[in-house]
Amino acid sequence: MINAMQPRRCFNKPVDVFKTSRARLPKTLANIPGCIIPRTETADPKNFSELQAACRSFNEWPLIVRSPGYHGGDNMLLLTDDSQLESLKDLSWPYEGICLTQFLDCRDDAGLYQKVRVMMVDGVAYARQCIYSDRWKIHTKSRADLMDQDIALRHREEQLLALLRDRILQDRAPLFQQIYQRINLDVFGIDFALVDDQIVIFEANACMHFLGGSDTSSPRYTYTGSYKKELRNALKKMLVRA
């Protein structure tokens, strides 16, 4: 379609989108200093025996088993050891193709998980959000786990967003530039955790909420408004330059 239409500019070219698949991303972002990408492989088991063999061959415990193409925590399970494979036996989705991903425990000193989101727009990194939860599987609605009821965690997010904007994204500009250059998309997000002065990347792709989300209508999260406004302005400037 792009070749037939010959547009003035195509944003997020498909050839670059493919670089961000769950299976390819670890290869796309391999060997970037300060950046950790969990190992991921694909498998296509047709029965339970083949599913067991795939997970045992992967040989990383704990591991995450998920269906490719799903978001928001759908069709995704964490298995701590071989004995838990039985929980997959009677499900249908594991036999339609799966991704196996090494699970890296990124809990902080308080025992909380975090998912920081930075958006890349036209090669520039922008802070967007940081969700804290006591559950490993964090997605857009996970603010309801703890943050909706805990003002201290909301203050913690507010402080981290300011720190990202004012210092971290500047100090680590070479790292985010390498990610941008490897992926080469015009607009995409990076979800990660900050662990021991490194970033552990969960995913990086163009399929992310960043102008809306669960903090859009709640008065608890008004501090995120300026970051969304900055992203809108960045998008407008990019489109105008096209």
Side-chain angles (χ1 to χ4, degrees), residues 81-100:
D81 56 53
D82 186 277
S83 67
Q84 293 189 322
L85 285 169
E86 286 288 334
S87 64
L88 298 172
K89 186 174 184 178
D90 297 325
L91 300 177
S92 59
W93 59 262
Y95 308 109
E96 298 171 358
I98 53 173
C99 287
L100 303 174

Side-chain angles (χ1 to χ4, degrees), residues 130-135 137-150 153-154 157 213-215 218 220-221:
C130 178
I131 299 177
Y132 296 96
S133 175
D134 55 358
R135 307 179 189 183
K137 188 192 300 186
I138 298 178
H139 48 86
T140 303
K141 296 179 181 179
S142 294
R143 291 182 182 277
D145 294 345
L146 295 177
M147 295 184 71
D148 282 359
Q149 295 78 36
D150 192 334
L153 287 179
R154 299 198 295 274
E157 179 186 28
S214 60
D215 58 339
S218 173
R220 300 182 182 95
Y221 302 102

Side-chain angles (χ1 to χ4, degrees), residues 179-190:
I179 293 173
Y180 167 67
Q181 289 166 11
R182 299 265 188 105
I183 292 177
N184 200 38
L185 290 173
D186 300 282
V187 183
F188 67 98
I190 308 166

Side-chain angles (χ1 to χ4, degrees), residues 77-238:
L77 293 173
L78 174 64
L79 305 181
T80 57
D81 56 53
D82 186 277
S83 67
Q84 293 189 322
L85 285 169
E86 286 288 334
S87 64
L88 298 172
K89 186 174 184 178
D90 297 325
L91 300 177
S92 59
W93 59 262
Y95 308 109
E96 298 171 358
I98 53 173
C99 287
L100 303 174
T101 301
Q102 173 190 18
F103 176 76
L104 299 179
D105 193 338
C106 298
R107 281 177 290 185
D108 61 19
D109 293 339
L112 296 180
Y113 298 95
Q114 63 171 248
K115 182 184 277 189
V116 183
R117 178 164 296 175
V118 164
M119 296 300 302
M120 300 295 301
V121 180
D122 212 14
V124 179
Y126 296 89
R128 173 56 185 90
Q129 67 185 29
C130 178
I131 299 177
Y132 296 96
S133 175
D134 55 358
R135 307 179 189 183
W136 70 271
K137 188 192 300 186
I138 298 178
H139 48 86
T140 303
K141 296 179 181 179
S142 294
R143 291 182 182 277
D145 294 345
L146 295 177
M147 295 184 71
D148 282 359
Q149 295 78 36
D150 192 334
I151 192 171
L153 287 179
R154 299 198 295 274
H155 285 162
R156 185 174 171 184
E157 179 186 28
E158 184 175 10
Q159 292 165 2
L160 179 60
L161 288 174
L163 189 62
L164 281 164
R165 179 192 59 206
D166 299 336
R167 197 184 78 189
I168 295 176
L169 293 181
Q170 297 176 36
D171 292 348
R172 304 191 186 192
L175 185 157
F176 286 97
Q177 271 302 300
Q178 282 200 60
I179 293 173
Y180 167 67
Q181 289 166 11
R182 299 265 188 105
I183 292 177
N184 200 38
L185 290 173
D186 300 282
V187 183
F188 67 98
I190 308 166
D191 281 351
F192 60 91
L194 288 164
V195 180
D196 297 330
D197 205 36
Q198 298 189 89
I199 69 170
V200 178
I201 294 184
F202 305 129
E203 57 182 314
N205 56 59
C207 189
M208 293 191 184
H209 291 289
F210 65 99
L211 296 181
S214 60
D215 58 339
T216 301
S217 58
S218 173
R220 300 182 182 95
Y221 302 102
T222 54
Y223 57 83
T224 64
S226 62
Y227 299 93
K228 287 181 284 189
K229 182 178 180 180
E230 191 174 15
L231 279 164
R232 287 192 187 93
N233 289 339
L235 282 169
K236 290 175 183 177
K237 289 178 182 178
M238 183 183 73

Side-chain angles (χ1 to χ4, degrees), residues 50-73:
E50 291 182 4
L51 177 60
Q52 288 177 306
C55 292
R56 288 168 179 165
S57 176
F58 187 74
N59 197 30
E60 293 272 7
W61 303 96
L63 67 82
I64 297 170
V65 181
R66 72 184 304 162
S67 286
Y70 285 83
H71 291 264

